[in-house]
Amino acid sequence: MRLLIVEDEKQICDTIAKSLYDAGYEVDTCYDGEEALECILAEDYDLIVLDLNLPGMDGMDILRELRQKNEETKVLILSARGQIADKVEGLDAGANDYMEKPFHLQELEARIRSLTRRKFVQKDICLESGEIKFNTIRREAYAKGKMVPLTRKENGILEYLLLNLGRPVSQEELIEHVWDASVDSFSGSIRVHMSSLRRKLKSVLGYDPVLNKVGEGYKIREESDK
Ligand code: CA
């Protein structure tokens, strides 16, 4: 899951980014309104935390521009503007949630969890397919009920495949959603993480639970694939 934090107070921005990174998300940051709009239009983020009072461009204008092109990306406004009229304006312009400053990191994280689950119509904190389970809060994977220790990237790949059951996910899509901008995204590096993930799951399951459909991408093996 890939997030963008737009916030001009660097310390707040970096604190949010660190805590979300620790919670398992890939996180980019932006301190300026105009730059933020460029990033948003160029990349495919799952969720954006958006401040309103920004240098360069107001957050509300960014939101309106984004919504003309894209209804999918979730937007959580995080602003010191706390009047009811501000909240109504933000939600009417297409924000999915609105939080007022000062705020608690724990609440922000909970709201982000809720919004990103909603994107994939996933109500449970645990994702599941056959003998594989993934706990999205604890960031733990299980195969046949046994915990399988995975790296951060392997967790990200498994989570994304479980959120997209039933369809193949291409390498390019995995790079967009599981990697952040700081990582150079060779397809080779995806292959390395993917094969290590498959090897670890296979060692517990006795079979490889990931299918690689040539020209389409990767998907979790389901009943209908057997
Ligand atoms: Ca601000």
Side-chain angles (χ1 to χ4, degrees), residues 7-9 51-55 78 101:
E7 165 66 67
D8 61 317
E9 282 168 73
D51 182 21
L52 294 182
N53 297 324
L54 290 165
L78 180 60
K101 291 176 187 166

Side-chain angles (χ1 to χ4, degrees), residues 122-136 140 142-145 158-159 161-166 220-222:
Q122 176 72 38
K123 291 187 195 72
D124 206 336
I125 58 158
C126 275
L127 307 171
E128 205 172 345
S129 174
E131 297 179 301
I132 301 173
K133 246 191 198 173
F134 184 76
N135 183 310
T136 58
E140 286 172 356
Y142 297 83
K144 286 189 166 166
L158 179 63
E159 178 182 34
L161 292 181
L162 285 169
L163 284 167
N164 290 280
L165 282 179
I220 300 278
R221 192 186 294 274
E222 293 172 279

Side-chain angles (χ1 to χ4, degrees), residues 31-100:
Y31 308 132
D32 173 90
E34 255 175 278
E35 240 173 74
L37 183 64
E38 278 176 37
C39 271
I40 286 169
L41 296 179
E43 305 286 336
D44 186 8
Y45 289 102
D46 295 295
L47 182 142
I48 298 163
V49 176
L50 182 64
D51 182 21
L52 294 182
N53 297 324
L54 290 165
M57 188 171 188
D58 189 86
M60 282 302 301
D61 294 329
I62 296 175
L63 175 61
R64 288 195 187 96
E65 288 259 357
L66 168 71
R67 280 294 178 250
Q68 284 190 1
K69 301 197 171 67
N70 165 336
E71 293 282 332
E72 288 270 292
T73 302
K74 300 290 181 192
V75 176
L76 186 156
I77 293 178
L78 180 60
S79 173
R81 296 181 201 163
Q83 303 290 321
I84 297 294
D86 297 318
K87 296 183 182 174
V88 170
E89 190 189 357
L91 294 168
D92 279 349
N96 303 91
D97 202 352
Y98 196 113
M99 263 182 91
E100 205 181 316

